[in-house]
Amino acid sequence: MLRLLFWIALIAAAVWLWRKFKAPVAPTQSPREQDAAPMVRCAHCGVHLPRDRALSLRQQWYCSQAHLEQGPGSSDR
């Protein structure tokens, strides 16, 4: 029984080492971060959204037409 446990532990350690050294080296910056769209903050409600989906007026960004029409929100944020 002791020999069986020894071989199971040895095989498990070998598999663990093989997986550890076989794993590819991670790049410094993932492709997801490179493709991420720039985010802007809605001047009315403060929600963040991609710049290509936001509406702009006088260098301020808005998340919807209704917030664009209402203008900037309160400054207590």
Side-chain angles (χ1 to χ4, degrees):
M1 185 65 163
L2 189 59
R3 283 186 179 178
L4 180 63
L5 292 175
F6 170 76
W7 284 110
I8 291 173
L10 186 65
I11 292 171
V15 169
W16 177 76
L17 284 172
W18 180 69
R19 285 185 179 177
K20 182 178 179 182
F21 291 114
K22 178 125 170 108
V25 177
T28 57
Q29 190 176 29
S30 70
R32 250 181 98 110
E33 291 175 2
Q34 293 172 353
D35 297 337
M39 302 291 279
V40 293
R41 184 175 181 196
C42 176
H44 183 77
C45 65
V47 92
H48 288 86
L49 67 156
R51 187 170 54 195
D52 61 349
R53 296 188 62 198
L55 305 170
S56 67
L57 177 68
R58 293 188 295 264
Q59 298 180 351
Q60 291 184 332
W61 298 94
Y62 296 92
C63 63
S64 65
Q65 185 66 33
H67 283 181
L68 182 120
E69 293 169 0
Q70 292 174 4
S74 63
S75 61
D76 61 354
R77 287 185 195 111

Coordinates of all heavy atoms in Angstrom, one line a residue:
M1 N 0.8 -1.2 0.0 CA 0.0 0.0 0.0 C 0.9 1.3 0.0 O 0.5 2.2 -0.7 CB -0.9 0.0 1.2 CG -1.9 1.1 1.3 SD -3.0 0.9 -0.1 CE -4.3 1.9 0.4
L2 N 2.0 1.2 0.7 CA 2.9 2.4 0.8 C 3.5 2.6 -0.5 O 3.7 3.8 -0.9 CB 3.9 2.1 1.9 CG 4.8 3.3 2.2 CD1 4.0 4.5 2.7 CD2 5.8 3.0 3.3
R3 N 3.9 1.6 -1.3 CA 4.5 1.7 -2.6 C 3.4 2.4 -3.6 O 3.8 3.2 -4.4 CB 4.9 0.4 -3.2 CG 6.2 -0.1 -2.6 CD 6.6 -1.4 -3.3 NE 7.8 -1.8 -2.8 CZ 8.4 -2.9 -3.2 NH1 7.9 -3.7 -4.1 NH2 9.6 -3.3 -2.6
L4 N 2.2 2.0 -3.5 CA 1.2 2.6 -4.3 C 1.0 4.1 -4.1 O 0.9 4.9 -5.0 CB -0.2 1.8 -4.1 CG -1.4 2.3 -4.9 CD1 -1.1 2.1 -6.4 CD2 -2.6 1.6 -4.5
L5 N 0.9 4.5 -2.8 CA 0.9 5.9 -2.5 C 2.1 6.7 -2.9 O 2.0 7.8 -3.4 CB 0.7 6.1 -1.0 CG -0.7 5.6 -0.4 CD1 -0.7 5.7 1.1 CD2 -1.8 6.4 -1.0
F6 N 3.3 6.0 -2.8 CA 4.5 6.7 -3.3 C 4.4 6.9 -4.8 O 4.7 8.0 -5.3 CB 5.7 5.8 -3.0 CG 7.0 6.2 -3.6 CD1 7.6 7.4 -3.1 CD2 7.5 5.6 -4.7 CE1 8.8 7.8 -3.7 CE2 8.6 6.0 -5.3 CZ 9.3 7.1 -4.8
W7 N 4.0 5.9 -5.6 CA 3.9 6.1 -7.0 C 2.8 7.1 -7.4 O 3.0 7.9 -8.4 CB 3.7 4.8 -7.7 CG 4.9 3.9 -7.7 CD1 5.1 2.8 -7.0 CD2 6.1 4.2 -8.5 NE1 6.4 2.3 -7.3 CE2 7.0 3.2 -8.2 CE3 6.5 5.2 -9.4 CZ2 8.3 3.1 -8.8 CZ3 7.7 5.1 -10.0 CH2 8.6 4.1 -9.6
I8 N 1.7 7.1 -6.7 CA 0.7 8.1 -7.0 C 1.2 9.5 -6.8 O 1.0 10.5 -7.6 CB -0.6 7.8 -6.2 CG1 -1.3 6.6 -6.7 CG2 -1.5 9.0 -6.3 CD1 -2.4 6.1 -5.9
A9 N 1.9 9.7 -5.7 CA 2.5 11.0 -5.3 C 3.6 11.4 -6.3 O 3.6 12.6 -6.8 CB 3.1 11.0 -3.9
L10 N 4.4 10.5 -6.8 CA 5.4 10.8 -7.7 C 4.9 11.2 -9.1 O 5.3 12.1 -9.7 CB 6.3 9.5 -7.9 CG 7.6 9.7 -8.8 CD1 8.5 10.8 -8.1 CD2 8.3 8.4 -9.0
I11 N 3.8 10.4 -9.5 CA 3.2 10.8 -10.8 C 2.5 12.1 -10.7 O 2.6 12.9 -11.6 CB 2.2 9.6 -11.2 CG1 3.0 8.4 -11.6 CG2 1.3 10.1 -12.4 CD1 2.2 7.1 -11.8
A12 N 1.8 12.4 -9.6 CA 1.1 13.7 -9.4 C 2.2 14.8 -9.5 O 1.9 15.9 -10.1 CB 0.3 13.7 -8.2
A13 N 3.3 14.7 -8.8 CA 4.3 15.7 -8.8 C 4.9 15.9 -10.2 O 5.2 17.0 -10.7 CB 5.4 15.3 -7.8
A14 N 5.1 14.8 -11.0 CA 5.6 14.9 -12.3 C 4.6 15.7 -13.2 O 5.0 16.5 -14.0 CB 5.9 13.5 -12.9
V15 N 3.3 15.3 -13.1 CA 2.3 16.0 -13.9 C 2.3 17.5 -13.6 O 2.2 18.4 -14.4 CB 0.9 15.4 -13.7 CG1 -0.2 16.2 -14.3 CG2 1.0 14.0 -14.3
W16 N 2.4 17.8 -12.3 CA 2.3 19.2 -11.8 C 3.5 20.0 -12.4 O 3.4 21.1 -12.9 CB 2.3 19.3 -10.3 CG 2.3 20.7 -9.8 CD1 1.3 21.6 -9.7 CD2 3.5 21.3 -9.2 NE1 1.7 22.8 -9.2 CE2 3.1 22.6 -8.9 CE3 4.8 20.9 -9.0 CZ2 4.0 23.5 -8.3 CZ3 5.7 21.9 -8.4 CH2 5.2 23.2 -8.1
L17 N 4.7 19.4 -12.3 CA 5.9 20.1 -12.8 C 5.8 20.2 -14.3 O 6.2 21.3 -14.9 CB 7.2 19.3 -12.5 CG 7.6 19.4 -11.0 CD1 8.8 18.4 -10.7 CD2 8.1 20.8 -10.8
W18 N 5.3 19.2 -15.0 CA 5.2 19.3 -16.5 C 4.3 20.4 -16.9 O 4.6 21.2 -17.8 CB 4.7 18.0 -17.0 CG 4.6 17.9 -18.5 CD1 5.6 18.0 -19.4 CD2 3.4 17.9 -19.3 NE1 5.0 17.9 -20.7 CE2 3.7 17.9 -20.6 CE3 2.0 17.8 -18.9 CZ2 2.7 17.9 -21.6 CZ3 1.1 17.8 -19.9 CH2 1.4 17.8 -21.2
R19 N 3.1 20.6 -16.2 CA 2.2 21.6 -16.5 C 2.8 23.0 -16.2 O 2.6 24.0 -16.9 CB 0.9 21.4 -15.8 CG 0.0 20.4 -16.3 CD -1.3 20.3 -15.6 NE -2.1 19.3 -16.2 CZ -3.3 19.0 -15.7 NH1 -3.8 19.6 -14.7 NH2 -4.0 18.0 -16.3
K20 N 3.5 23.1 -15.1 CA 4.1 24.4 -14.7 C 5.1 24.9 -15.7 O 5.1 26.0 -16.1 CB 4.8 24.2 -13.3 CG 5.4 25.5 -12.8 CD 6.0 25.3 -11.4 CE 6.6 26.6 -10.9 NZ 7.2 26.5 -9.7
F21 N 6.0 24.0 -16.2 CA 7.0 24.4 -17.1 C 6.5 24.5 -18.6 O 7.1 25.1 -19.4 CB 8.2 23.5 -17.0 CG 9.0 23.7 -15.8 CD1 9.1 22.7 -14.8 CD2 9.6 24.9 -15.5 CE1 9.7 22.8 -13.6 CE2 10.3 25.1 -14.3 CZ 10.3 24.1 -13.4
K22 N 5.4 23.8 -18.9 CA 4.9 23.8 -20.2 C 4.0 25.1 -20.5 O 3.8 25.5 -21.6 CB 4.0 22.6 -20.4 CG 3.3 22.5 -21.7 CD 3.6 21.2 -22.4 CE 2.8 21.1 -23.6 NZ 3.5 21.2 -24.8
A23 N 3.5 25.8 -19.4 CA 2.7 26.9 -19.6 C 3.4 28.0 -20.3 O 4.6 28.3 -20.1 CB 2.3 27.4 -18.2
P24 N 2.8 28.7 -21.3 CA 3.5 29.7 -22.1 C 3.7 31.0 -21.2 O 3.0 31.2 -20.2 CB 2.5 30.1 -23.2 CG 1.2 29.6 -22.6 CD 1.4 28.5 -21.7
V25 N 4.7 31.7 -21.5 CA 5.1 32.9 -20.8 C 4.1 34.0 -21.2 O 3.8 34.2 -22.4 CB 6.5 33.4 -21.1 CG1 6.8 34.7 -20.5 CG2 7.5 32.3 -20.8
A26 N 3.4 34.6 -20.2 CA 2.4 35.7 -20.5 C 3.1 36.9 -21.0 O 4.1 37.4 -20.5 CB 1.7 36.0 -19.2
P27 N 2.5 37.5 -22.1 CA 3.1 38.8 -22.6 C 2.8 39.9 -21.5 O 2.0 39.8 -20.7 CB 2.3 39.1 -23.8 CG 1.0 38.3 -23.7 CD 1.4 37.1 -22.8
T28 N 3.6 41.0 -21.7 CA 3.5 42.1 -20.7 C 2.2 42.8 -20.8 O 1.6 43.2 -19.8 CB 4.6 43.1 -21.0 OG1 4.5 43.6 -22.3 CG2 6.0 42.5 -20.7
Q29 N 1.6 42.9 -22.0 CA 0.3 43.5 -22.1 C -0.6 42.5 -22.9 O -0.3 42.1 -24.0 CB 0.4 44.8 -22.8 CG -0.9 45.6 -22.8 CD -0.7 47.0 -23.4 OE1 0.1 47.2 -24.2 NE2 -1.5 47.9 -22.9
S30 N -1.8 42.2 -22.4 CA -2.7 41.3 -23.1 C -3.3 41.9 -24.3 O -3.5 43.1 -24.3 CB -3.7 40.7 -22.1 OG -4.6 41.8 -21.8
P31 N -3.7 41.1 -25.3 CA -4.3 41.7 -26.5 C -5.6 42.4 -26.1 O -6.0 43.3 -26.8 CB -4.6 40.5 -27.3 CG -3.7 39.4 -26.8 CD -3.4 39.7 -25.4
R32 N -6.3 42.0 -25.1 CA -7.6 42.6 -24.7 C -7.3 44.1 -24.3 O -8.1 44.9 -24.5 CB -8.2 41.9 -23.5 CG -9.4 41.1 -23.8 CD -9.9 40.4 -22.5 NE -10.9 41.2 -21.9 CZ -12.2 40.9 -21.9 NH1 -12.5 39.8 -22.4 NH2 -13.1 41.7 -21.3
E33 N -6.2 44.3 -23.5 CA -5.9 45.7 -23.1 C -5.6 46.6 -24.3 O -5.9 47.8 -24.3 CB -4.8 45.7 -22.1 CG -5.2 45.0 -20.8 CD -4.0 44.9 -19.8 OE1 -2.9 45.4 -20.2 OE2 -4.2 44.4 -18.7
Q34 N -4.9 46.0 -25.3 CA -4.6 46.8 -26.5 C -5.8 47.2 -27.3 O -5.8 48.3 -27.9 CB -3.6 46.0 -27.3 CG -2.3 45.8 -26.7 CD -1.4 44.8 -27.5 OE1 -1.9 44.2 -28.5 NE2 -0.2 44.6 -27.1
D35 N -6.8 46.3 -27.3 CA -8.0 46.6 -28.1 C -9.1 47.3 -27.4 O -10.1 47.6 -27.9 CB -8.6 45.3 -28.6 CG -7.6 44.6 -29.6 OD1 -6.7 45.2 -30.1 OD2 -7.7 43.3 -29.7
A36 N -8.9 47.7 -26.1 CA -9.9 48.3 -25.3 C -10.2 49.7 -25.8 O -9.3 50.5 -26.1 CB -9.5 48.4 -23.8
A37 N -11.5 50.0 -25.9 CA -11.9 51.4 -26.3 C -11.7 52.4 -25.2 O -11.9 52.1 -24.1 CB -13.3 51.3 -26.8
P38 N -11.3 53.6 -25.6 CA -11.2 54.6 -24.5 C -12.6 54.9 -23.9 O -13.6 55.0 -24.6 CB -10.7 55.9 -25.3 CG -10.6 55.5 -26.7 CD -11.0 54.1 -26.9
M39 N -12.6 55.1 -22.6 CA -13.8 55.3 -21.9 C -14.0 56.8 -21.5 O -13.0 57.5 -21.3 CB -13.8 54.5 -20.6 CG -13.7 53.0 -20.8 SD -15.1 52.3 -21.6 CE -16.2 52.1 -20.3
V40 N -15.2 57.3 -21.5 CA -15.5 58.7 -21.1 C -16.6 58.6 -20.0 O -17.3 57.6 -19.9 CB -15.9 59.5 -22.3 CG1 -14.8 59.8 -23.2 CG2 -17.1 59.0 -23.0
R41 N -16.8 59.7 -19.3 CA -17.8 59.8 -18.2 C -18.9 60.7 -18.6 O -18.7 61.8 -19.1 CB -17.1 60.3 -17.0 CG -18.0 60.3 -15.8 CD -17.3 60.7 -14.5 NE -18.2 60.6 -13.4 CZ -17.9 61.2 -12.3 NH1 -16.8 61.8 -12.1 NH2 -18.8 61.2 -11.3
C42 N -20.1 60.3 -18.4 CA -21.3 61.1 -18.7 C -21.3 62.3 -17.8 O -21.1 62.2 -16.5 CB -22.6 60.3 -18.5 SG -24.1 61.3 -18.8
A43 N -21.4 63.5 -18.3 CA -21.4 64.7 -17.5 C -22.6 64.9 -16.6 O -22.6 65.6 -15.7 CB -21.3 66.0 -18.4
H44 N -23.7 64.2 -17.0 CA -24.9 64.3 -16.2 C -25.0 63.2 -15.1 O -25.2 63.6 -13.9 CB -26.1 64.1 -17.1 CG -27.5 64.3 -16.4 ND1 -28.0 65.5 -16.1 CD2 -28.3 63.3 -16.0 CE1 -29.1 65.3 -15.5 NE2 -29.4 64.0 -15.4
C45 N -24.8 62.0 -15.4 CA -25.0 60.9 -14.4 C -23.7 60.3 -13.9 O -23.7 59.6 -12.9 CB -25.9 59.8 -14.9 SG -25.3 58.9 -16.3
G46 N -22.6 60.5 -14.6 CA -21.3 60.0 -14.1 C -21.0 58.6 -14.6 O -20.0 58.0 -14.2
V47 N -21.9 58.0 -15.4 CA -21.6 56.6 -15.8 C -20.5 56.6 -16.9 O -20.4 57.6 -17.6 CB -22.9 56.0 -16.4 CG1 -23.1 56.2 -17.9 CG2 -23.1 54.5 -16.1
H48 N -19.7 55.6 -16.9 CA -18.6 55.5 -17.8 C -19.1 54.6 -19.0 O -19.7 53.6 -18.8 CB -17.4 54.9 -17.2 CG -16.7 55.8 -16.3 ND1 -17.1 55.9 -14.9 CD2 -15.7 56.7 -16.4 CE1 -16.3 56.8 -14.4 NE2 -15.5 57.3 -15.2
L49 N -18.7 55.0 -20.2 CA -19.1 54.2 -21.4 C -18.0 54.4 -22.5 O -17.2 55.4 -22.4 CB -20.5 54.7 -21.9 CG -20.6 56.1 -22.5 CD1 -21.8 56.1 -23.4 CD2 -20.9 57.0 -21.4
P50 N -17.9 53.6 -23.5 CA -17.0 53.7 -24.6 C -17.2 55.0 -25.3 O -18.3 55.5 -25.5 CB -17.2 52.5 -25.5 CG -18.0 51.5 -24.6 CD -18.7 52.3 -23.6
R51 N -16.1 55.7 -25.7 CA -16.2 57.0 -26.3 C -17.0 56.9 -27.6 O -17.7 57.9 -28.0 CB -14.8 57.6 -26.5 CG -14.9 59.0 -27.0 CD -13.5 59.7 -27.1 NE -12.5 58.9 -27.8 CZ -11.3 59.1 -27.7 NH1 -10.8 60.0 -26.9 NH2 -10.4 58.3 -28.4
D52 N -16.9 55.8 -28.4 CA -17.6 55.7 -29.6 C -19.1 55.6 -29.5 O -19.8 55.8 -30.4 CB -17.0 54.6 -30.5 CG -17.1 53.2 -29.8 OD1 -17.5 53.2 -28.6 OD2 -16.9 52.2 -30.5
R53 N -19.6 55.3 -28.3 CA -21.0 55.2 -28.0 C -21.6 56.5 -27.3 O -22.8 56.6 -27.1 CB -21.3 54.0 -27.2 CG -21.0 52.7 -28.0 CD -21.4 51.5 -27.3 NE -22.9 51.5 -27.1 CZ -23.6 50.8 -26.3 NH1 -23.0 49.9 -25.5 NH2 -24.9 50.8 -26.2
A54 N -20.7 57.4 -27.0 CA -21.1 58.6 -26.2 C -21.4 59.7 -27.2 O -21.0 59.7 -28.3 CB -20.0 59.0 -25.3
L55 N -22.2 60.6 -26.7 CA -22.6 61.8 -27.4 C -21.8 63.0 -26.8 O -21.7 63.1 -25.6 CB -24.1 62.1 -27.3 CG -25.0 61.0 -27.7 CD1 -26.4 61.2 -27.3 CD2 -24.9 60.7 -29.2
S56 N -21.3 63.9 -27.6 CA -20.5 65.0 -27.1 C -21.1 66.3 -27.4 O -21.7 66.5 -28.5 CB -19.0 64.9 -27.7 OG -19.1 65.2 -29.0
L57 N -20.9 67.3 -26.5 CA -21.4 68.6 -26.7 C -20.5 69.5 -25.9 O -20.4 69.4 -24.7 CB -22.8 68.8 -26.2 CG -23.4 70.2 -26.3 CD1 -23.6 70.6 -27.7 CD2 -24.8 70.2 -25.6
R58 N -19.8 70.5 -26.5 CA -18.9 71.4 -25.9 C -17.9 70.7 -25.0 O -17.8 71.0 -23.8 CB -19.7 72.5 -25.1 CG -20.5 73.4 -26.0 CD -21.1 74.5 -25.3 NE -22.0 74.1 -24.3 CZ -23.4 74.1 -24.5 NH1 -23.8 74.5 -25.6 NH2 -24.2 73.7 -23.5
Q59 N -17.2 69.7 -25.5 CA -16.1 69.0 -24.8 C -16.6 68.3 -23.6 O -15.9 68.0 -22.6 CB -15.0 69.9 -24.4 CG -14.3 70.5 -25.6 CD -13.1 71.4 -25.2 OE1 -12.9 71.7 -24.1 NE2 -12.4 71.8 -26.2
Q60 N -17.9 67.9 -23.5 CA -18.5 67.1 -22.5 C -19.1 65.9 -23.1 O -19.7 66.0 -24.2 CB -19.5 67.9 -21.6 CG -18.8 68.9 -20.8 CD -19.8 69.6 -19.8 OE1 -21.0 69.7 -20.1 NE2 -19.3 70.1 -18.7
W61 N -19.1 64.8 -22.4 CA -19.7 63.5 -23.0 C -20.9 63.2 -22.2 O -21.1 63.4 -21.0 CB -18.6 62.4 -22.8 CG -17.4 62.7 -23.6 CD1 -16.3 63.3 -23.1 CD2 -17.2 62.5 -25.0 NE1 -15.3 63.4 -24.1 CE2 -15.9 62.9 -25.3 CE3 -17.9 61.9 -26.0 CZ2 -15.3 62.8 -26.5 CZ3 -17.4 61.8 -27.3 CH2 -16.1 62.2 -27.5
Y62 N -21.9 62.6 -23.0 CA -23.2 62.1 -22.4 C -23.5 60.7 -22.8 O -23.2 60.3 -23.9 CB -24.3 63.1 -22.8 CG -24.1 64.5 -22.3 CD1 -23.4 65.5 -23.0 CD2 -24.5 64.9 -21.0 CE1 -23.2 66.7 -22.6 CE2 -24.3 66.1 -20.5 CZ -23.7 67.1 -21.3 OH -23.4 68.3 -20.8
C63 N -24.2 60.0 -22.0 CA -24.5 58.6 -22.3 C -25.8 58.4 -23.1 O -26.0 57.4 -23.7 CB -24.7 57.8 -21.0 SG -26.0 58.3 -19.9
S64 N -26.7 59.4 -23.1 CA -27.9 59.3 -23.9 C -28.3 60.7 -24.4 O -27.8 61.7 -23.9 CB -29.0 58.7 -23.1 OG -29.3 59.6 -22.0
Q65 N -29.3 60.7 -25.3 CA -29.8 62.0 -25.8 C -30.5 62.8 -24.7 O -30.4 64.0 -24.7 CB -30.7 61.7 -27.0 CG -31.3 63.0 -27.7 CD -30.2 63.8 -28.4 OE1 -29.2 63.2 -28.9 NE2 -30.3 65.1 -28.4
A66 N -31.2 62.1 -23.8 CA -31.9 62.7 -22.8 C -31.0 63.4 -21.8 O -31.2 64.6 -21.4 CB -32.8 61.7 -22.0
H67 N -29.9 62.8 -21.5 CA -28.9 63.5 -20.6 C -28.2 64.6 -21.3 O -27.8 65.6 -20.7 CB -27.9 62.5 -20.1 CG -28.4 61.6 -19.0 ND1 -27.7 60.6 -18.4 CD2 -29.7 61.5 -18.4 CE1 -28.4 60.0 -17.5 NE2 -29.6 60.6 -17.5
L68 N -28.0 64.5 -22.6 CA -27.4 65.6 -23.4 C -28.3 66.8 -23.3 O -27.9 67.9 -23.1 CB -27.2 65.2 -24.8 CG -26.5 66.2 -25.7 CD1 -25.2 65.7 -26.2 CD2 -27.4 66.6 -26.9
E69 N -29.6 66.6 -23.5 CA -30.6 67.7 -23.4 C -30.7 68.3 -22.0 O -30.9 69.5 -21.9 CB -32.0 67.2 -23.9 CG -32.0 66.8 -25.4 CD -33.2 66.1 -25.8 OE1 -34.1 65.9 -25.0 OE2 -33.3 65.8 -27.0
Q70 N -30.6 67.5 -21.0 CA -30.7 68.0 -19.6 C -29.4 68.7 -19.2 O -29.5 69.5 -18.2 CB -30.9 66.8 -18.6 CG -32.3 66.2 -18.8 CD -32.5 65.0 -18.0 OE1 -31.6 64.6 -17.2 NE2 -33.6 64.3 -18.2
G71 N -28.3 68.5 -19.8 CA -27.1 69.2 -19.5 C -26.3 68.5 -18.3 O -26.7 67.4 -17.8
P72 N -25.3 69.2 -17.9 CA -24.5 68.6 -16.7 C -25.3 68.4 -15.5 O -26.2 69.2 -15.2 CB -23.3 69.6 -16.5 CG -23.3 70.4 -17.8 CD -24.7 70.4 -18.3
G73 N -25.0 67.4 -14.7 CA -25.6 67.1 -13.5 C -25.1 68.0 -12.4 O -24.3 68.9 -12.6
S74 N -25.5 67.7 -11.1 CA -25.1 68.4 -10.0 C -23.6 68.1 -9.7 O -23.1 67.1 -10.1 CB -25.9 68.1 -8.7 OG -25.7 66.7 -8.4
S75 N -22.9 69.1 -9.1 CA -21.5 68.9 -8.9 C -21.1 68.3 -7.6 O -20.0 68.4 -7.1 CB -20.8 70.3 -8.9 OG -21.3 71.1 -7.9
D76 N -22.0 67.6 -6.9 CA -21.7 67.0 -5.6 C -21.1 65.6 -5.8 O -21.0 64.9 -4.8 CB -23.0 66.9 -4.7 CG -24.1 66.1 -5.4 OD1 -24.0 65.7 -6.5 OD2 -25.1 65.9 -4.7
R77 N -20.8 65.2 -7.0 CA -20.1 63.8 -7.2 C -18.7 63.9 -7.1 O -17.9 64.5 -7.5 CB -20.5 63.3 -8.6 CG -21.9 62.9 -8.6 CD -22.2 62.2 -10.0 NE -23.6 62.2 -10.1 CZ -24.4 62.9 -10.9 NH1 -23.8 63.7 -11.8 NH2 -25.7 62.8 -11.0

